[in-house]
Amino acid sequence: MTHFTAPLVALALLAACTASQPATRAATPIGPPPLAEPDKDGRCWAREITPAVYDQVMGELQVVQAEIAEDGTVIRPPIYRKAPVARVVTPRGELKFEAPCGYQMTPDFVASTQRALAARGYFSGNVTGEIDAPTTAAIRKFQKERGLESGQMSLETARSLGLVAIDRTNL
């Protein structure tokens, strides 16, 4: 084996080992939330999946080991135990709410969002014009106090921050 093939073989073995490893947890999305696209009516909707929450509770009493002969004599006595069982505390859900459209989420709009949240004490990061982790956290905190647990900005939030025009013709 030449000195070039040994690293390639090691790399191939490593790739084979890591590819067969089962995933232990769901993938965490990286980066900003997806931008809302307009529907046929020109309105945009944000969608966020809330994962189910499970708790471990003790299940019913189960026979773990027992062996009885055909004539009814006990060969191995039963052993009983309770095993933990997963119980759904909060079912999986989906939030869907009206949001500013993706084309509206310009760097200037995001910077105005950051300044508006900072003026209200929710954002203390640098005004970057990007939906970064501190901006998402500030949006989530602001909206959570108003009953919406999401880091994606709702249209109602944008309006309450004075960032989106309100159509007053139907008021």
Side-chain angles (χ1 to χ4, degrees):
M1 195 179 300
T2 66
H3 65 283
F4 289 111
T5 55
L8 293 176
V9 170
L11 185 60
L13 288 173
L14 180 63
C17 289
T18 57
S20 65
Q21 296 289 333
T24 56
R25 60 186 172 98
T28 303
I30 298 174
L35 298 176
E37 294 295 324
D39 62 9
K40 61 182 171 142
D41 298 326
R43 297 168 58 188
C44 294
W45 300 90
R47 188 175 152 239
E48 189 167 316
I49 304 298
T50 56
V53 177
Y54 293 90
D55 190 14
Q56 294 290 326
V57 295
M58 292 309 288
E60 295 181 17
L61 199 59
Q62 299 175 344
V63 176
V64 176
Q65 182 180 26
E67 192 173 337
I68 300 174
E70 287 184 21
D71 64 357
T73 59
V74 176
I75 299 171
R76 187 178 305 145
I79 299 173
Y80 298 95
R81 76 167 188 193
K82 285 188 172 187
V85 177
R87 177 180 57 98
V88 177
V89 175
T90 307
R92 178 186 179 276
E94 178 181 359
L95 293 173
K96 185 176 179 185
F97 50 90
E98 197 168 0
C101 293
Y103 65 85
Q104 293 173 312
M105 299 296 283
T106 63
D108 288 338
F109 181 85
V110 175
S112 294
T113 302
Q114 291 168 330
R115 285 190 290 274
L117 289 167
R120 291 162 177 82
Y122 291 92
F123 180 72
S124 60
N126 294 326
V127 176
T128 61
E130 296 178 10
I131 302 282
D132 51 12
T135 305
T136 303
I139 291 170
R140 181 177 301 280
K141 185 176 179 184
F142 183 82
Q143 292 183 146
K144 185 176 182 178
E145 291 179 2
R146 287 151 183 80
L148 177 63
E149 292 197 38
S150 175
Q152 298 180 65
M153 185 185 306
S154 72
L155 190 59
E156 182 65 33
T157 296
R159 287 179 177 151
S160 68
L161 292 172
L163 301 172
V164 177
I166 300 173
D167 182 16
R168 296 192 176 266
T169 57
N170 296 329
L171 295 179

